[in-house]
Amino acid sequence: MTAFPPAPVPDQPAFPPAPDFLARLDGTASDIEAVLENALSAQTEDGEIARPERLRAAMRHAALGGGKRLRPFLVVESAALFGVPRAQALLAGAALECVHCYSLAHDDLPAMDNDDLRRGRPTLHRAYDEATAILAGDSLLTLAFDLMAREAVHRDAAVRIGLVRDLARAAGLGGMAGGQMLDLAAEGRFGDAGTAPDEAGIVTLQRMKTGALLAFACRAGAILGQAGGPAHAALETFGEKLGLAFQLADDLLDLEGDAALIGKATGKDAAAGKGTLVARLGPQAARQRLAALVGEAEAALAPFGPGGDVLRHTVRFAAARRT
Amino acid sequence: MTAFPPAPVPDQPAFPPAPDFLARLDGTASDIEAVLENALSAQTEDGEIARPERLRAAMRHAALGGGKRLRPFLVVESAALFGVPRAQALLAGAALECVHCYSLAHDDLPAMDNDDLRRGRPTLHRAYDEATAILAGDSLLTLAFDLMAREAVHRDAAVRIGLVRDLARAAGLGGMAGGQMLDLAAEGRFGDAGTAPDEAGIVTLQRMKTGALLAFACRAGAILGQAGGPAHAALETFGEKLGLAFQLADDLLDLEGDAALIGKATGKDAAAGKGTLVARLGPQAARQRLAALVGEAEAALAPFGPGGDVLRHTVRFAAARRT
């Protein structure tokens, strides 16, 4: 990662610089990598050999060595607001990251988005084969709940079961998987031409497909911290706004970004005829909407005072990223 | 279902007849259908509309209207040994059944076993399309953990988190998904010809692919009943033996069964060159092995006395079934 990216719009209000934000983000990404490396190592925690080897290797391909680990970072930083020990939040964040990585592996499949490139490397089914990619995705999703259920996440089983339940709802029919389904439908994949989503439909789609896991990441900190209702609600709102901002930035990147920097194909959404807010509003209005969402996300953090600064930087980072 | 099937080998010891066993099995299947119907209804338990509709319909196609529901039955009957309220065991069993149904949907995919027929109906990707089948499988797997985490499974969160953890381990890399991977490898799918599994390899494969969920079903009763170590171990052994017997019976059915009765293609294993124990041992020796496994499973139930009779009938049923 390079310097802190520029603000998305010129008239954005001044904000204290954070020379250490990217170092902080990188540090958590390294820690998450280590947790995932350990969870996918050759030996299980019981000392048994984790096998079959081909499936384990494919899970590693999908889960290791990639990404900013934004979702785990949000878990760690929202949990830090309540003094949750970092190791606990990292394990919960790694569980969430397994869900994210499984979804990328399945979304890349030929029957889905048919992508060859992910984070600058071959997608899982290109590096292995379709059957292995399906099974590795399934296994990462399953591992997510294995990790989240571990005592090291929180000594109170009620906290862990709350995380399991919330994660399942964020990932399933009413969340991420449902959002991917709506996204395929918006392409006209199921022969329902003429039912392209309107603006509200696009927001619903994005709230489910991308927003649900990002919002869960923020709520997870409140659950881990056994936070009271107002703090929980504040992080919920923050996560929702951040999720929408993230997706809008993603759509802008797809339109304007550099494929070499991003490590995956760009312009695919337009080619697929996907209705994005950028296509609907135009880039200029989309950028204004993005700035407004960032402002709303920051406002939601007001109850945390300066303690919320890292999360404030995070939503700015998510909105302004170039990769 | 018709009359109680005949004993698998002629010299099998006498066993009290159970005119109501099949009625009992059918009754639990009906109850599981109702629980799954409710979990996949148009409204969520919060009163919201469950959507998107196409994904929900595909999940229903995969999960409803099929099968003996043997795994939930094992959960219910093993839990009954400890006086667990039936409604709790049914919900846990329905969660497990979601995992089973997701695995069937993914295993049927063109990139996997490429099956067109399942329970006498088109497989999920034939009834819908591949992308929908992948997402519906993902969503059923996710729903399993949502259901298992619900308070209605057990008021003690520690019990529920134990079930979540154990289910995840039975379903993932070291369990069912890993077993499916070994099964594909045994077909020579990954170019490693000459590495067809030996007898021990076949047993490992089957223990993971089919046995892990069946064994979990039996352990789940002990977990729900907060049973002591010996009872837990007895059900663990019973479940393992039952799982091996079930798979051996399945292999015999694939060789000798009637596709019209079974509702899926037969002879596929032989055609795919899969190493099964039946192919290795021959049908006669395989039947003897099956009878021995049934005996070992029954022996494991000794601590439960007559209370274990329904489970005794269950392993006989699993071994002798014709569909």
Side-chain angles (χ1 to χ4, degrees):
Chain A
M1 276 161 208
T2 55
F4 194 75
V9 288
D11 59 345
Q12 199 157 0
F15 196 76
D20 59 349
F21 175 78
L22 290 180
R24 195 171 176 116
L25 185 62
D26 276 348
T28 296
S30 296
D31 289 348
I32 287 294
E33 187 80 10
V35 174
L36 289 172
E37 168 68 52
N38 184 54
L40 292 166
S41 67
Q43 285 208 335
T44 68
E45 54 173 353
D46 305 329
E48 289 171 27
I49 300 298
R51 59 180 179 184
E53 179 54 29
R54 181 184 177 85
L55 184 54
R56 190 175 68 86
M59 291 169 75
R60 291 173 62 87
H61 181 98
L64 299 181
K68 293 173 285 291
R69 310 295 193 188
L70 181 61
R71 290 156 195 79
F73 185 74
L74 287 166
V75 176
V76 168
E77 294 299 343
S78 59
L81 292 173
F82 310 99
V84 174
R86 181 175 173 83
Q88 295 179 215
L90 282 170
L91 188 51
L96 170 57
E97 188 70 2
C98 286
V99 175
H100 176 57
C101 292
Y102 118 73
S103 78
L104 298 180
H106 278 191
D107 286 0
D108 285 339
L109 285 167
M112 304 273 266
D113 295 344
N114 194 22
D115 275 310
D116 295 330
L117 204 58
R118 163 76 63 189
R119 291 173 181 160
R121 294 184 303 158
T123 49
L124 189 56
H125 65 278
R126 298 290 282 173
Y128 290 83
D129 62 282
E130 278 185 58
T132 301
I134 293 166
L135 283 172
D138 293 342
S139 301
L140 279 173
L141 173 56
T142 309
L143 179 62
F145 293 104
D146 177 348
L147 295 178
M148 199 66 102
R150 294 189 188 180
E151 199 162 1
V153 166
H154 199 287
R155 67 182 171 186
D156 185 344
V159 168
R160 284 178 277 148
I161 208 74
L163 289 166
V164 164
R165 181 82 201 279
D166 204 352
L167 176 58
R169 309 200 98 187
L173 171 67
M176 182 185 68
Q180 171 68 358
M181 190 75 196
L182 291 176
D183 206 22
L184 294 173
E187 285 180 26
R189 287 278 286 268
F190 308 122
D192 39 9
T195 58
D198 57 13
E199 190 178 320
I202 295 171
V203 170
T204 295
L205 184 167
Q206 296 184 341
R207 204 187 288 275
M208 292 169 73
K209 182 177 177 177
T210 329
L213 280 202
L214 288 164
F216 168 78
C218 301
R219 280 199 309 274
I223 298 172
L224 278 167
Q226 298 174 283
H232 202 290
L235 282 170
E236 171 112 35
T237 302
F238 172 75
E240 282 175 10
K241 302 296 182 185
L242 178 138
L244 291 170
F246 179 91
Q247 187 59 50
L248 205 48
D250 213 49
D251 293 342
L252 282 164
L253 269 177
D254 186 74
L255 189 74
E256 304 169 338
D258 180 335
L261 266 181
I262 300 171
K264 64 178 183 180
T266 54
K268 285 203 61 153
D269 293 347
K274 282 187 190 178
T276 68
L277 281 185
V278 176
R280 263 191 188 265
L281 306 173
Q284 187 56 32
R287 270 189 219 94
Q288 281 165 5
R289 168 84 62 102
L290 180 55
L293 285 166
V294 170
E296 289 161 25
E298 291 186 19
L301 296 171
F304 302 111
D309 276 352
V310 176
L311 290 178
R312 286 186 190 91
H313 280 291
T314 309
V315 67
R316 293 199 161 213
F317 171 80
R321 70 209 161 85
R322 289 288 171 272
T323 63
Chain B
M1 275 164 209
T2 56
F4 195 74
V9 288
D11 60 345
Q12 198 155 3
F15 197 74
D20 58 350
F21 175 78
L22 290 180
R24 195 172 177 117
L25 185 62
D26 277 348
T28 296
S30 296
D31 288 348
I32 287 294
E33 187 80 10
V35 174
L36 290 172
E37 169 67 51
N38 184 54
L40 292 166
S41 66
Q43 285 208 336
T44 68
E45 55 173 353
D46 305 329
E48 290 172 26
I49 300 299
R51 57 180 182 185
E53 179 54 29
R54 181 183 177 85
L55 183 55
R56 190 175 69 87
M59 292 168 75
R60 291 173 62 87
H61 181 98
L64 299 181
K68 294 173 286 289
R69 311 294 194 188
L70 182 61
R71 290 156 194 79
F73 185 73
L74 288 166
V75 176
V76 168
E77 294 299 343
S78 60
L81 292 173
F82 310 100
V84 174
R86 182 175 172 82
Q88 294 178 218
L90 282 170
L91 188 51
L96 170 57
E97 189 71 2
C98 286
V99 174
H100 176 56
C101 293
Y102 118 74
S103 78
L104 299 180
H106 279 191
D107 286 0
D108 285 339
L109 285 167
M112 305 273 266
D113 295 344
N114 194 21
D115 275 309
D116 296 330
L117 204 59
R118 163 76 61 190
R119 292 173 180 160
R121 295 184 303 158
T123 49
L124 189 56
H125 64 278
R126 298 290 282 173
Y128 290 82
D129 62 283
E130 279 185 58
T132 302
I134 294 167
L135 283 172
D138 293 343
S139 301
L140 279 173
L141 173 56
T142 308
L143 178 63
F145 293 103
D146 176 348
L147 295 178
M148 199 65 101
R150 294 188 188 180
E151 197 162 2
V153 166
H154 200 286
R155 66 181 173 188
D156 186 343
V159 168
R160 284 178 278 148
I161 206 75
L163 288 166
V164 164
R165 182 82 200 280
D166 204 351
L167 175 58
R169 308 199 99 187
L173 171 67
M176 183 185 68
Q180 171 69 357
M181 190 77 195
L182 291 176
D183 206 23
L184 294 173
E187 285 180 27
R189 288 276 288 267
F190 308 122
D192 37 10
T195 58
D198 58 11
E199 190 178 321
I202 295 171
V203 170
T204 295
L205 184 165
Q206 296 184 340
R207 205 186 287 275
M208 293 169 73
K209 182 176 176 176
T210 329
L213 280 201
L214 289 164
F216 168 78
C218 302
R219 280 200 309 274
I223 298 172
L224 277 167
Q226 298 174 284
H232 202 290
L235 282 171
E236 171 113 35
T237 302
F238 171 75
E240 283 175 9
K241 302 296 182 183
L242 178 138
L244 292 170
F246 179 91
Q247 187 59 50
L248 206 47
D250 213 50
D251 292 343
L252 282 163
L253 269 178
D254 186 74
L255 189 72
E256 305 169 338
D258 181 333
L261 266 180
I262 300 171
K264 65 178 183 181
T266 54
K268 285 203 62 153
D269 293 348
K274 281 188 190 175
T276 68
L277 280 185
V278 176
R280 260 188 192 267
L281 305 173
Q284 187 56 33
R287 271 189 218 96
Q288 281 167 3
R289 167 85 61 103
L290 180 55
L293 285 166
V294 170
E296 289 162 25
E298 291 187 19
L301 296 171
F304 303 111
D309 276 350
V310 177
L311 291 178
R312 284 187 192 92
H313 280 292
T314 310
V315 68
R316 292 198 163 214
F317 171 79
R321 70 210 160 85
R322 290 287 170 272
T323 63

